[in-house]
Amino acid sequence: MAPRIGVVVFPGTNCEHDVIRAVERLGAEGVLLWHGDTTVGSGSSVGSMDSVGSVDAVVLPGGFAHGDYLRPGALARFSPIMDAITRFARQGGPVVGICNGFQVLTEAGLLPGALQKNGHLRFLCQPARLVVASTASVLTGLADLGQELVIPINHFSGSFTCDAETLRELREGDRIVLRYLDNPNGSVDDIAGIVNEAGNVVGLMPHPERASDALLGSEDGLVLLRSLLSAAGAGVAA
């Protein structure tokens, strides 16, 4: 049975169909989850969209949720679906936030730290060279430690920051999953992605769905997406 990957749609989300196309190319079923849905059972009351309870993994995709009003993710954090996603994550469900989704996860307290404006205050849209710093996550489980990847970034507020104690905890807990080889945005410790203590909630600024086909210039994102589908599939098998 193919895993079902739910992709959240906030007002202003613009990468949801990119993610669905990428995971379906790998054999999963992609479904949309509306940000205003509070349902945790099967089915949904919003159009043809599904609910958190009907999927095996959740992706918060890139975009500009609620127009990035106040700051990126600040309003999306209060969307009704976030309560269901929090319960899903606490039960061990795989959750991945990409770019704006990473910002939402930090605002919601599902991941530590924050994403601030890039160094030099410039919007960045370019390939980024990354290294896999940990395989202890639902997004990097099938990757090799030290594996180098080229995956695009597309953000203005993508510089990860945190206090010294949080950074120590991330380092000692093997919770930094991806680092930049050529830090483009000023992130502390070259951090491009982190994971929670349980290993099931990951946030990253690069877009693996935009590196999932040779026509896009790179297929390096596939190992990350396959890792997510493997984690989701394990839940199906259980």
Side-chain angles (χ1 to χ4, degrees), residues 11-226:
T13 296
N14 60 22
C15 298
E16 67 272 31
H17 293 288
D18 305 63
V19 174
I20 284 181
R21 180 177 177 85
V23 299
E24 288 187 340
R25 180 170 178 258
L26 295 175
E29 179 185 359
V31 297
L32 297 177
L33 306 176
W34 179 240
H35 85 109
D37 189 11
T38 59
T39 310
V40 294
S42 61
S44 173
S45 59
V46 183
S48 61
M49 298 187 183
D50 283 66
S51 66
V52 174
S54 69
V55 300
D56 305 301
V58 173
V59 176
L60 283 70
F64 304 90
H66 298 279
D68 281 351
Y69 188 66
L70 298 182
R71 63 181 178 273
L75 294 184
R77 172 260 180 278
F78 293 104
S79 285
I81 199 171
M82 292 306 299
D83 288 336
I85 290 174
T86 298
R87 291 192 295 273
F88 180 79
R90 288 175 177 168
Q91 293 166 2
V95 177
V96 172
I98 301 171
C99 196
N100 190 220
F102 188 7
Q103 296 162 342
V104 175
L105 290 177
T106 60
E107 289 286 342
L110 289 173
L111 288 174
L115 285 307
Q116 62 184 358
K117 291 181 174 61
N118 298 337
H120 307 296
L121 300 180
R122 291 185 301 207
F123 184 89
L124 297 172
C125 182
Q126 63 195 53
R129 295 175 61 237
L130 311 170
V131 62
V132 177
S134 171
T135 58
S137 82
V138 296
L139 193 67
T140 55
L142 299 183
D144 295 323
L145 192 64
Q147 183 175 353
E148 295 187 13
L149 307 171
V150 177
I151 298 178
I153 56 173
N154 185 42
H155 58 249
F156 180 60
S157 297
S159 177
F160 181 80
T161 186
C162 63
D163 59 32
E165 176 62 20
T166 298
L167 182 59
R168 182 190 65 79
E169 292 174 355
L170 291 173
R171 287 171 171 168
E172 293 182 358
D174 196 25
R175 294 170 55 194
I176 300 171
V177 297
L178 295 168
R179 281 191 170 97
Y180 297 110
L181 288 172
D182 301 305
N183 192 334
N185 55 25
S187 287
V188 64
D189 202 25
D190 301 325
I191 290 174
I194 62 172
V195 66
N196 67 341
E197 291 184 45
N200 67 307
V201 179
V202 179
L204 73 162
M205 290 310 297
H207 286 261
E209 78 281 6
R210 297 186 184 182
S212 61
D213 192 296
L215 288 174
L216 300 174
S218 173
E219 293 182 301
D220 287 1
L222 289 177
V223 67
L224 303 181
L225 296 174
R226 287 194 178 105

